[in-house]
Amino acid sequence: MVNIIHSVQGYHSRTIHFLNVAFDSSGDSLLAGDRQGNIYVFDLNGNRFNLVQRTMQACTALAFNLRRKTEFLVALADYSVKCFDTGTQELVSWMRGHESSVSSISVHGSGKYAITTSTDTAQLWDLDTFQRIRKLNVRQSVGIQKVFFLPLSNTILSCFKDNSVFAWEFDTLHCKYQLSPPVEGSVLFYKVFAVTRDSRTLVAGGKSNHLHLWCLELKQLIRIIQMPEKVRAVRHLEFLPDSFDGGSNQVLGVLSQDNIMRFINIETCKLLFDIGSPEEGISTAVISPNGQYIASVMENGSLNLYSVQALTQEGNKNELPGGLNKKRLQALLKGFGEYPAKYRMFVWRSLLQLPENHLAFSSLIDRGIHSAFVNIQKEYPIKSGKLLRVLQRTLSALAHWSAVFAETPYMPLLAFPFVKLFQNNQLICFEVVATVVVNFCQHWFEYFPNPPINVLGMMENVLAHHDKELLQHLIKYNVTSQVYAWPLLETLLSEVLTREEWLKAFDNIFSNHPSYFLMIVIAYVICSRAPLLHCNQAADFEYFFHHRNNVDINLVIKEAYRLMEATPLDIHPQQMLDDFTPLTKGQYPVFNKYPMFIVNYQAQKWEKIRQDEIEYLRERQLAHESEAKAQEQKAEDEAWYQRQKLLQEAEEQRQKILLEEEKLAEQRQRLAVVKRELKVKELQLLDASRRRFLNYQQDQLQMELKRLNDEIARKASMRQQETIAVQDTEPESQKQLFEQHLIKDQEAVTKEMKEEVEAHRRKVDLEDQRVQRLIEIDKEEIQKAQTVAEENLARAEQKHTDTDWRPRHNEQDQEECYREIVKLLHDNRVREAELLKAMREAEEKKQEDVVQNKAQLEEEQKVAAAANGHRKQFLDDKMNDELELAEKLQREHGCFERLCDLKARCTERGVEVQQVPGSGNISHNDLSTLASSPHNRSRAELACREQELMAKVRQLRRRITSRARARLPPAPSPATAWSP
């Protein structure tokens, strides 16, 4: 039908390839997406297209059959799925969750749910909330081929790469069953799948020229179809919908690796037609739900649209599958009483041999609604708007085809059952009604506008032959064939039968001669003889043939066949009715079997009536318009008068306001006079207040000047005093600051002095301990020497008594004693030298510490240069106390104690030690006296040694005092402590 190419013109002209297509649920709109992410909608009826979205990335799958007709789903290259609206062109929702490209989107029959499939997972979505309901995960080694809803059911079918097929219950997502893969010599790995509309047959194909047909009711493989040898792999499968097969699709489209899509009959395994060629190959294809169009994406990126009717016209020979003919169908019908529901529409189309003249029907439809059926809704108020529109279009097409149908009052009743049955295919609906009128309503219009008296006479003859009693009863109560037969004919039995009964009846009507329709009406009357024989009023008879009754349709059908066989030929309707004749192809036949002058006269009459009605309506409209204008003029006049009244009232109100304004003006004048008087008084008060304020301000200024003079005098006096005080001492503020720094430094120096005193005390204690130890050692040696001396003296005295006997011997002993004393003194001197050496080392170490401390103190003197005499006095007092404490400690624990011990020992040995008053030293004369005596020489030496030690202690004390004083910073002079 059409080839669509999206080309971009420019310096480098190029073609943008289409990737995916999808039909909406009606099959009248096509959605297509290209490689750049452009989404187009093609209106096939309106012959126009529109760009509805730019996604800026390639789409991998499309779905256009959602519950909201303007919305569609598109799977994009970033693994997401988006929902857009074709009307508003806005994004409705954005669904994420896939980790690989989405290959297919399956939408539930209700349009509320969708399944998106990728290689690793399938996800179930709620399209009302766009939330993910469930997720199907599989092992990576298995992989998913396709997951989709079965049509018109609540079953989900999942097909995997290992040939396993699982069926899941949609509500609970429990596994219903599994299709076991067939065991064959060469395993066929399923790649593509297709399901019939009745969800009974599944077809699977893959990398082979074989197709597997599964019966989903039996869960068994029922057939294997081998494609031609040219087919080595199957890339896509899709069934061709048919309005007459009840969903059990028989035609399957197979797209193979050679880019040709072949359509075969899965029952006869015959090739019907194909599309595409090796030069213009097909990449993918989609068939519309109504089976009218095939949209294919070509290898070159273009989009082709095919007409199924044109493709099937050559192969459509009005034959049933399996080579069934009319006789075989009649035999099947007699055996079962009706055709299978899923095959009924296909059988009817075959029996009626509908030509499907699309162009001829389109020309009738294009003429618009016939004037006779413009207001059909007034006479037939049908609830369904769709049914009403289809009925209106079908009747209009019939009226345009033949004028008699526009004047036939029962035509809506006759056509309505077929309109309700074929409301989704208006072409088939029109052709079925036209075929019924041409063949089963023969001779109905010969006595138009009266009922067909000739046909009714034939029916009365048959009834008289087979049931005279019933006919006599009807005649008795003046019930003619126009009462008991014509209502059943003009409504095609639709008023007295249910839907199932009506379908069963027309299965038999369409399968037999047109006279069978008359026989089934007569059979209905005969089968209803019992209730009819009890009727005795005309109204009861009329009611009976216009309403449903308790009549078995199977008995009626059986009775009709009996009448067909038992009726004599001379009264048999078959002799007066022609055989079945289908409608001609290409153009519909001319229907003129009616009194044309009557129809024309009636048409003219109706046209005149319509014109009169139109004129009346026009005049009434004019009258209404005139009345409306008069009412409008009246309303305008009323409004004008109302405005004038309002203006007058406003004028009166303004006059009142003017009077009020005059009164207000007078009041304002009086108020102005009062204000002026008040102003004068206010100025007088202000003047008096100003004078009082000036006087007060002058007094305040004088007081302030006096205060300032006093303050100046006081400050001058204070400045003189401060000047005198500055000459002697520092300013008070600097003194306070200095005292603060002094206190801080004093605390630091006091702390340091305490640490040094403690250290010195510890060192003095250590030295005292050492001296005490040496003294004890000396004491022990002296005691030993004294003991030896006493012994020697004792021996000397003993020898002295014996001088007469041995005088030289005594002198020798005395000399030995002297030598021992000298030796002891020598040892004492050695120890004293060692003690002095130790003390000298300690003194050197202390001197080094003093040098270090002196350097540190010099730095501290720079920081504490602002110290005053108070600090010096405080530190002197503190130092004197520390020195007195140290001297006291030394006196109590030092050398004086050792001297007292020496004096006590000397006294014990008879040596008198005299002390100079006011001193602690031994006189030189005393030492010489001690030395003159051999016995006291050692004691004199010890006393000298003790005197030397005390001198060293006093010298050490003076050094400590001088070092402590050296640490004190000098008192700052006023010139350095205060700056201008």
Side-chain angles (χ1 to χ4, degrees), residues 201-221:
T201 305
L202 170 69
V203 180
K207 201 171 182 180
S208 172
N209 65 341
H210 289 84
L211 299 176
H212 289 183
L213 270 70
W214 291 83
C215 178
L216 298 181
E217 293 179 343
L218 303 176
K219 290 83 176 176
Q220 294 179 357
L221 180 67

Side-chain angles (χ1 to χ4, degrees), residues 54-116:
R54 295 179 183 270
T55 62
M56 307 307 294
Q57 51 183 324
C59 63
T60 58
L62 288 172
F64 197 22
N65 51 347
L66 278 62
R67 182 170 63 90
R68 291 176 286 272
K69 302 303 180 183
T70 59
E71 294 181 0
F72 65 92
L73 298 178
V74 54
L76 302 175
D78 61 354
Y79 311 154
S80 66
V81 180
K82 293 183 179 180
C83 179
F84 295 99
D85 192 296
T86 58
T88 62
Q89 300 185 5
E90 294 181 353
L91 176 65
V92 178
S93 182
W94 192 345
M95 298 175 284
R96 292 180 176 270
H98 284 278
E99 297 179 357
S100 58
S101 178
V102 177
S103 58
S104 66
I105 302 175
S106 176
V107 181
H108 189 261
S110 63
K112 296 182 179 180
Y113 306 97
I115 296 177
T116 56

Side-chain angles (χ1 to χ4, degrees), residues 29 227 428 529 680:
S29 295
M227 297 296 293
I428 301 301
R529 66 188 311 273
V680 170

Side-chain angles (χ1 to χ4, degrees), residues 398-414:
L398 290 170
H400 292 312
W401 175 41
S402 180
V404 67
F405 299 126
E407 308 300 331
T408 304
Y410 56 83
M411 186 54 61
L413 298 176
L414 186 146

Side-chain angles (χ1 to χ4, degrees), residues 62-247:
L62 288 172
F64 197 22
N65 51 347
L66 278 62
R67 182 170 63 90
R68 291 176 286 272
K69 302 303 180 183
T70 59
E71 294 181 0
F72 65 92
L73 298 178
V74 54
L76 302 175
D78 61 354
Y79 311 154
S80 66
V81 180
K82 293 183 179 180
C83 179
F84 295 99
D85 192 296
T86 58
T88 62
Q89 300 185 5
E90 294 181 353
L91 176 65
V92 178
S93 182
W94 192 345
M95 298 175 284
R96 292 180 176 270
H98 284 278
E99 297 179 357
S100 58
S101 178
V102 177
S103 58
S104 66
I105 302 175
S106 176
V107 181
H108 189 261
S110 63
K112 296 182 179 180
Y113 306 97
I115 296 177
T116 56
T117 306
S118 59
T119 57
D120 56 346
T121 183
Q123 300 186 10
L124 177 62
W125 303 88
D126 187 345
L127 298 183
D128 288 336
T129 61
F130 295 98
Q131 298 294 324
R132 185 175 66 187
I133 302 175
R134 298 292 287 271
K135 181 179 180 181
L136 176 64
N137 293 321
V138 297
R139 296 191 303 271
Q140 187 175 3
S141 58
V142 177
I144 300 176
Q145 291 287 9
K146 190 176 183 181
V147 181
F148 56 94
F149 288 104
L150 290 182
L152 306 178
S153 69
N154 285 331
T155 303
I156 299 175
L157 214 61
S158 59
C159 309
F160 302 96
K161 293 184 178 180
D162 59 354
N163 279 7
S164 60
V165 179
F166 291 86
W168 311 84
E169 186 68 34
F170 170 66
D171 297 332
T172 61
L173 293 177
H174 292 162
C175 183
K176 297 175 64 176
Y177 57 83
Q178 178 184 0
L179 301 181
S180 302
V183 180
E184 296 181 352
S186 60
V187 180
L188 171 61
F189 290 101
Y190 295 156
K191 298 290 185 182
V192 290
F193 307 87
V195 182
T196 56
R197 290 183 61 190
D198 58 4
S199 302
R200 296 183 178 181
T201 305
L202 170 69
V203 180
K207 201 171 182 180
S208 172
N209 65 341
H210 289 84
L211 299 176
H212 289 183
L213 270 70
W214 291 83
C215 178
L216 298 181
E217 293 179 343
L218 303 176
K219 290 83 176 176
Q220 294 179 357
L221 180 67
I222 57 176
R223 184 174 300 173
I224 298 178
I225 300 176
Q226 184 177 4
M227 297 296 293
E229 296 181 357
K230 296 180 180 180
V231 178
R232 297 189 302 273
V234 179
R235 294 169 49 191
H236 184 68
L237 293 173
E238 190 159 358
F239 278 100
L240 181 64
D242 197 323
S243 302
F244 300 98
D245 55 12

